[in-house]
Each structure stands twice: as C-alpha cells, then as structure tokens.
C-alpha cells in the first residue's frame, strides 16, 4: 500500500507547479525528485514557459545568475497580483538530494494542500467571472432591443463628463511617449461616433491619433489623424461613415499624440470598475480608476450631435484589418549606429541616443548627409511610420530631415552614399522625402506605405544642412510610432 501511495503521489502533485526556478538551473533540478513540481523562468528574466496549472509556493536558485533571473521575473509577476510575494531560496548545488527532499516535504504537507485548495478557489472565481460576463452580454442585447425602437437621428447613449482634480498632473506627456486605451461600456451595434473632451490645446504643431477597434477580435474600425489646428476646446466628435453593425461587440479606443507640446485630454470622475477605467503601457497616477471623458452616440452616421462643436471624419478605414499600434522601443533606439556620408570629420558626436528623453539626435554638417541606422527596426506588415522632429536649441540653424527604409541585408552606409550621390534612393528602398525643420517648432514627419512591408527593414534617419551654417543645429527626433496591419487575426493587445 505504501508503494502504491508513493507512486501515485508524484503525478497527482505534478498537476500543479508549486516551485519556480531559473532555466539556468534546469539541468540540476531535472534529475531530482521535485522535477515535476518546477516551472522554469527563461534566462535573463524572460517569460515563464507556461504558468499553466501553477501556484508557486517558493522560488529556488542554485547560482548567482539563476537568483538574478528569478528576482527580475518575480518583479514582473508581482504586478499580476495573483500570487503572494515569494522569497528566493538560495540552495547549494552540492546538496541537491537533501535540498530536493526538503522541498518535496514542503509541497506535500499542509502548505501544499492549502496551495491546491487556493488554486481551486481561483478556478471557481474565474468561472464566476465568466458567468458575470454572460449576464453583461444579455444586458447588452436588452439594450440593443430598446434602442432599436427608440432611435433618434443621433442619440447619446453613454457619457463620462470631464472632472478636474486639483491634484491632476495631466496626461499630455503620456500621450506623446505612449498611448491611453479606453473600453466603451456599450454595445458596438449602431454606434455612429464618439466625442472626446479637451480642456486645453497646445500652441505648437502636432497630431492627435485616435484608433477604434473591436476588443474581441482585434479587428480595426477606423483611425483619425487630426492636426492640433483641427481640434477645439471642449467636445470633439469623431464620426464614422457608417454605423457599426452585426454582432454586438466591445469597442476599444486608443489615443496618442505627436509633437513636443502636451495636449489637454480630459479625464472623468473616479469609477468602481477597473475594466472600464483608462489604462496605458506606462503607469500614471491620474489613470487610477479614472476613465477618459467621452460620449458615445448611435444613430445616422454623418450627423453631428448638437452638443459638439465640430465633426471629424476618419483618416482611414480599417475594416477587415487587424492593427498593432506601437512605439519603437528603447532597446531599438539605443542601437543606432552612425552611417554618415560626409567629407568633414567632426570633433563632436553627431549621431547619438538620448536615454533620458527617449530621443535620437542627428546633427547635420555643412556638407554631406549625417545619418544613423537602426538595424531591423521595421517589422513585416508595417504600413506607416511617424515621429516628431525639432531643432532643440533657440538659436539652432534650420535643417532637413528624412527617413530611409532599406532591406536588412543591405549596407546602410552604401544606401546613404547612393542617395547623396544621385539625390534619389534605390528602388529597393523607401524614402520619405526631405522635410525642413526649424528651432523651437516641432513638426511631424511620417511615411505611408502603398502596401505592407514584407521583409524586415533598417530604419535610417537622415539630416542635412539647408543654409550656410549648422550652428546649434541639434536635430532631435522622438515618439517613433509604427502601425502594422494584417488580414489575419492578431491577439488583442
């Protein structure tokens, strides 16, 4: 009987991963009697293999690098708030048998049973959450049936009024460095537009970028690229050419901006639902359980609500497209390499990465082209690229700036030399054309591809002089935004 009990205990416990370890220590643990209880973290603090059926009680390490990997991974895992804080147990690799026996005793006693009981409670909570979502979907169907009989030409069906908190720090800079997402807590069926509230407008140039997608499938609906001069203080209505139809789905707004000046996007009152509060990839204190100030309208498309001052049509329709809108990461920007083609040997660094500003400096010289290349920065499927450019000095001379996309297999310096010699790029490359930029006046430079890029490409940032001097011509580029589109379903982000 004792042998039967011990032989079945391992597989039963193996259903739950109760220990965490670094992939660097996998070889040590694989031969132990706790191998079936361990889930591994990739080297350098990467992602866990699965974390499926895992409820960790402890983290174990047999090396300095393994301990460092666990601390990095647990710091990210703690943000999920699904497991308590874990201590990293440092063990001696020379005593693996003794250590594994103690670890198995920990997993098999009352603590292990309590962990399995807690995991079952978590599963029950997940089932209750799914049932709640089904009830919410039924509520949507009732709401659709009600509005089908009570439509006016344009009717407001939901609103979050703006609320100014004296402690607000503002989210304008967050729009430039990242984005803000907002779920609309109404059915998509019949939605003909929405309005966003702006409490202030910047004096400089730039664009407000708004994207509307379906949450469940990730499919795009429309995108608006609106210059700051086209916005007004108060409610701005973003219209659709036709109302959303078909199955009732959840709409997701993503809002970002380009330009050096902050845009005064308004937030609403605090709400109890974390699901329907605004969120961003970067933490911000003002987004703590607060939604954007917005209004949702149903009815006839192309009819402006009386409560809004303007109506903004989409720049592009994304029906049938699955979009990924993201900023070029710091790990890519920091890899920029100098590929300038100029007869002048400067006594200062003309191409460099500003880590504290998440920006690239590309200082032109009196002759030739100053250029910096980022290897494989443009992924397949990319359809647009944009960034903000400015001469970051009040007395800086003007300059010309452009983007050049070249195949990852080509030589970046040779591509720049070809452009400098002939004045035109090779057919295998994509060239944005030159844009002039002056001091203290930010501009938006962008590229729209005729079709999605099929292979990885290098991003080359080019600058040249436009006058007789390049004094204080510190050309700075930031807020690199890329959009990828596909007709295949992508995971909703």
């Amino acid at each position: 009987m004792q042998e039967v009990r011990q032989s079945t205990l391992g597989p039963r416990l193996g259903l739950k991963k109760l220990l965490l370890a670094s992939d660097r220590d996998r070889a040590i643990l694989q031969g132990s009697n706790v191998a079936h209880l361990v889930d591994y973290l990739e080297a350098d603090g990467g992602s866990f293999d699965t974390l499926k059926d895992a409820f960790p009680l402890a983290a174990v390490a047999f090396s300095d690098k393994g301990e460092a990997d666990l601390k990095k991974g647990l710091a990210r895992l703690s943000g999920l708030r699904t497991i308590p804080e874990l201590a990293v147990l440092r063990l001696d690799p020379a005593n693996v048998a003794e250590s594994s026996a103690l670890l198995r005793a920990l997993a098999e006693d009352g603590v292990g049973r309590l962990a399995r009981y807690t995991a079952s409670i978590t599963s029950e909570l997940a089932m209750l959450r799914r049932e709640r979502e089904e009830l919410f979907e039924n509520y949507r169907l009732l709401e659709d049936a009600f509005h089908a009989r009570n439509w006016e030409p344009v009717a407001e069906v939901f609103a979050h009024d703006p609320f100014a908190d004296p402690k607000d720090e503002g989210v304008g800079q967050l729009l430039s460095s990242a984005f803000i997402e907002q779920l609309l807590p109404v059915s998509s069926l019949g939605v003909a537009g929405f309005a966003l509230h702006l409490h202030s407008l910047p004096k400089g140039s730039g664009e407000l970028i708004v994207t509307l997608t379906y949450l469940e499938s990730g499919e795009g609906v429309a995108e608006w690229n609106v210059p700051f001069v086209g916005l007004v203080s108060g409610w701005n209505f973003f219209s659709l050419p036709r109302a959303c139809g078909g199955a009732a789905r959840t709409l997701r707004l993503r809002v970002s901006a380009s330009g050096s000046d902050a845009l005064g996007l308004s937030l609403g009152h605090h709400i109890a639902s974390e699901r329907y509060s605004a969120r961003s990839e970067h933490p911000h204190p003002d987004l703590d359980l607060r939604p954007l100030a917005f209004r949702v309208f149903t009815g006839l498309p192309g009819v402006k609500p009386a409560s809004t001052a303007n109506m903004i049509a989409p720049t592009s329709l994304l029906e049938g497209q699955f979009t990924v809108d993201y900023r070029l990461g710091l790990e890519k920007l920091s890899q920029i390499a100098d590929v300038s083609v100029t007869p002048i040997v400067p006594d200062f660094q003309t191409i460099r990465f500003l880590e504290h500003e998440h920006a690239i400096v590309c200082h032109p010289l009196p002759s030739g082209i100053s250029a910096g290349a980022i290897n494989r920065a443009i992924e397949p499927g990319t359809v647009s690229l944009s960034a903000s450019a400015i001469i970051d000095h009040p007395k800086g001379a003007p300059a010309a700036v452009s983007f050049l996309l070249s195949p990852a297999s080509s030589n970046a310096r040779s591509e720049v030399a070809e452009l400098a010699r002939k004045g035109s790029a090779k057919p295998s490359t994509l060239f944005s054309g030159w844009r002039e930029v002056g001091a203290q006046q930010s501009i938006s430079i962008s590229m729209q591809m005729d079709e999605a890029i099929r292979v990885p490409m290098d991003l080359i940032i080019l600058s040249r002089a436009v006058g007789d001097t390049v004094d204080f011509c510190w050309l700075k580029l930031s807020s690199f935004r890329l959009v990828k589109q596909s007709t295949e379903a992508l995971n909703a982000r």
Side-chain angles (χ1 to χ4, degrees), residues 163-168:
F163 173 68
D165 191 324
K167 298 181 180 179
D168 278 356

Side-chain angles (χ1 to χ4, degrees), residues 83-106:
I83 62 172
E85 295 290 338
L86 296 181
V88 178
L89 306 179
R90 181 63 183 272
L91 304 177
D92 187 359
N95 299 320
V96 176
E98 181 180 354
S99 300
S100 61
L102 293 175
L103 291 174
R104 183 159 185 169
L106 173 68

Side-chain angles (χ1 to χ4, degrees), residues 5-15 36-37 104 108:
R5 188 188 69 83
Q6 290 181 353
S7 63
T8 59
L9 184 59
R12 181 171 61 83
L13 287 175
L15 297 176
H36 60 286
L37 300 176
R104 183 159 185 169
E108 292 177 359

Side-chain angles (χ1 to χ4, degrees), residues 375-392:
N375 186 38
R376 304 177 73 89
I378 310 301
E379 300 177 3
T382 300
V383 294
S384 70
L385 163 68
S386 64
S388 296
I390 189 173
I391 301 297
D392 197 20

Side-chain angles (χ1 to χ4, degrees), residues 275-428:
R275 177 182 177 89
Y276 294 106
S277 61
R279 62 186 63 187
S280 176
E281 60 180 339
H282 299 331
H284 194 282
D286 291 344
L287 297 184
D288 186 17
L289 291 179
R290 291 183 66 184
L292 292 179
F294 66 90
R295 294 176 176 175
V296 182
F297 297 88
T298 61
L300 298 177
V303 178
K304 184 178 75 68
S307 59
T308 60
N310 61 348
M311 184 169 67
I312 304 169
T315 306
S316 60
L317 297 177
L318 306 177
E319 185 176 2
Q321 297 289 334
F322 298 86
T323 64
V324 178
D325 182 345
Y326 64 100
R327 303 282 177 164
L328 199 59
L330 301 184
E331 67 281 357
K332 283 289 185 182
L333 293 176
S334 62
Q335 295 173 8
I336 190 166
D338 191 342
V339 292
S340 302
V341 176
T342 173
I344 301 174
V345 179
D347 56 359
F348 61 95
Q349 191 175 2
T350 58
I351 307 295
R352 59 193 177 100
F353 168 60
L354 300 179
E355 183 176 3
H356 61 290
E357 296 187 44
H358 302 175
I360 297 292
V361 167
C362 187
H363 196 299
L365 296 173
S367 64
I369 296 178
S370 296
I374 304 176
N375 186 38
R376 304 177 73 89
I378 310 301
E379 300 177 3
T382 300
V383 294
S384 70
L385 163 68
S386 64
S388 296
I390 189 173
I391 301 297
D392 197 20
H393 194 284
K395 297 182 180 179
V401 61
S402 65
F403 291 148
L404 180 66
L405 307 185
S406 65
S409 58
S410 64
N411 185 288
R413 195 181 298 273
S414 298
E415 301 289 355
V416 177
E418 179 78 8
L419 179 64
R421 182 172 60 255
K422 295 184 177 181
S424 59
K426 293 180 179 179
S428 60

